[in-house]
Amino acid sequence: MYIFTIDFEDWFERKQNAELKPLPLSRLKFGSDEMLAIVEKAGVKPTFFILGCTAERNPSLIAEIADKYDIGIHGYEHYNCNDISVEVFEKDLRKVKRLLKDITGKDVNKYRSPSFSLANRSFLKVLVDNGIEVDCSLASINHQYGSKVLSSNSPCRILVDGAEIKEFPPTTIGFGNFKFGFLGGGYFRMLPYSITRKLTSQNKEYASAYIHPCDLDKKLPWDYAETIQLEERTFFAKLKAQVGLKTSARKLERWLSDFDFVDVETAVKMIDWENTPLEKM
Ligand SMILES: [Zn+2]
């Protein structure tokens, strides 16, 4: 089973520190126009995890997307869960849930945390309490923005105070025992397509892939890191933000045609949940 998802956010909203509020011009359309054309042409139906502040600035686009595709929540602000309290997290979640209901008419029940940063049961409890039934956030490796939470990156159920949440973890990629990232985003841009193809094939039982609109923005400003994050003002961070932008659209076309990707809603129906592991966090 191959799941395809899009974390739908503008390029400057991928900040990790809420107090940094840069106001550069939106570039959402530069990546999203091509992305939407490619998924439509490929006949692939991704799940769009929508960032609330992006939705607030682009309500008609979000309504169009929700008409055609499965949608989930990606937070209102792009908070890293490790930087905020449970109370702030809940306020943020309620805000985006209300907003998406207003824009799309849908009561959204799927969630992905910014940067796969969801890390403990208190945050999962907030998801359950607010009607989230499916989460796509929990990492099985320690990574730049969060910690290892699960022992494997296969679908499972998480028991939270008597309630169950269905979990589709991001697919961890690497070679042998060396795991270094997730299937999609910057890694998709950085790696030659032949390697992405191999890594995807190796996970045919279950792979969950993701991408952002800005991964297809060929003219993403070089000063990306200067604008966004103090801790990422390094040559490597700038390179990571820029690498592969010129070829990513063609690579995406090949990826979507080589594999039969489905959205999260379809994947939920394909799984025999009674027989998936029950994780107690
Ligand atoms: Zn994001």
Side-chain angles (χ1 to χ4, degrees):
M1 170 196 301
Y2 299 114
I3 299 175
F4 199 73
T5 65
I6 293 171
D7 290 354
F8 204 76
E9 62 201 25
D10 213 332
W11 70 290
F12 63 91
E13 290 160 343
R14 294 165 68 179
K15 60 189 182 291
Q16 304 302 324
N17 294 321
E19 68 272 17
L20 296 175
K21 291 270 185 187
L23 294 169
L25 291 175
S26 170
R27 295 189 59 82
L28 188 67
K29 73 183 296 296
F30 294 101
S32 67
D33 282 359
E34 186 157 27
M35 175 173 283
L36 289 164
I38 289 173
V39 296
E40 184 142 349
K41 191 173 167 204
V44 171
K45 298 252 182 193
T47 293
F48 286 73
F49 288 100
I50 295 165
L51 190 68
C53 56
T54 305
E56 196 151 51
R57 278 190 282 271
N58 303 276
S60 54
L61 175 60
I62 298 303
E64 274 175 41
I65 287 171
D67 262 357
K68 282 190 182 173
Y69 299 105
D70 185 34
I71 61 166
I73 287 171
H74 193 46
Y76 179 86
E77 301 279 356
H78 202 272
Y79 289 133
N80 183 310
C81 296
N82 296 293
D83 296 338
I84 56 171
S85 66
V86 172
E87 290 74 26
V88 171
F89 178 72
E90 182 153 35
K91 199 171 160 200
D92 183 88
L93 180 68
R94 287 184 175 177
K95 187 174 178 182
V96 60
K97 205 158 188 276
R98 246 189 340 263
L99 178 70
L100 289 180
K101 174 91 176 172
D102 287 348
I103 293 174
T104 70
K106 293 185 177 178
D107 199 8
V108 185
N109 68 349
K110 302 182 185 76
Y111 179 80
R112 167 170 293 148
S113 61
S115 313
F116 305 114
S117 61
L118 198 70
N120 66 52
R121 62 182 300 112
S122 307
F123 289 86
L124 280 169
K125 174 87 168 71
V126 170
L127 294 183
V128 169
D129 289 348
N130 286 278
I132 300 295
E133 297 169 6
V134 182
D135 176 63
C136 302
S137 307
L138 300 180
S140 58
I141 52 168
N142 290 318
H143 59 102
Q144 190 180 2
Y145 302 113
S147 309
K148 172 176 174 164
V149 181
L150 297 174
S151 52
S152 91
N153 59 5
S154 301
C156 59
R157 294 167 292 155
I158 315 268
L159 198 56
V160 188
D161 291 355
E164 265 182 33
I165 189 160
K166 296 176 174 70
E167 178 64 38
F168 287 105
T171 294
T172 303
I173 56 171
F175 303 97
N177 291 326
F178 176 59
K179 304 293 181 196
F180 57 85
F182 303 113
L183 187 62
Y187 298 103
F188 169 73
R189 285 186 282 104
M190 258 186 281
L191 295 170
Y193 177 67
S194 57
I195 294 182
T196 297
R197 191 175 196 284
K198 188 172 177 196
L199 291 168
T200 311
S201 303
Q202 281 172 353
N203 290 282
K204 62 174 171 291
E205 288 300 313
Y206 167 75
S208 178
Y210 73 103
I211 201 164
H212 312 90
C214 66
D215 289 321
L216 300 190
D217 182 353
K218 293 183 181 62
K219 292 185 178 169
L220 191 73
W222 172 249
D223 63 355
Y224 169 89
E226 293 291 331
T227 318
I228 304 298
Q229 291 172 280
L230 290 169
E231 69 267 33
E232 290 203 352
R233 288 180 180 181
T234 62
F235 178 78
F236 179 71
K238 289 180 181 183
L239 189 66
K240 196 174 146 200
Q242 296 283 329
V243 70
L245 288 173
K246 289 197 166 45
T247 56
S248 55
R250 301 292 78 78
K251 279 156 70 175
L252 180 61
E253 285 175 345
R254 293 184 65 188
W255 205 15
L256 297 185
S257 99
D258 286 347
F259 297 92
D260 290 327
F261 284 106
V262 297
D263 62 15
V264 175
E265 183 65 26
T266 306
V268 166
K269 292 173 184 149
M270 288 166 74
I271 287 186
D272 174 11
W273 289 99
E274 290 295 308
N275 289 315
T276 59
L278 187 60
E279 300 261 351
K280 289 177 188 164
M281 284 177 64

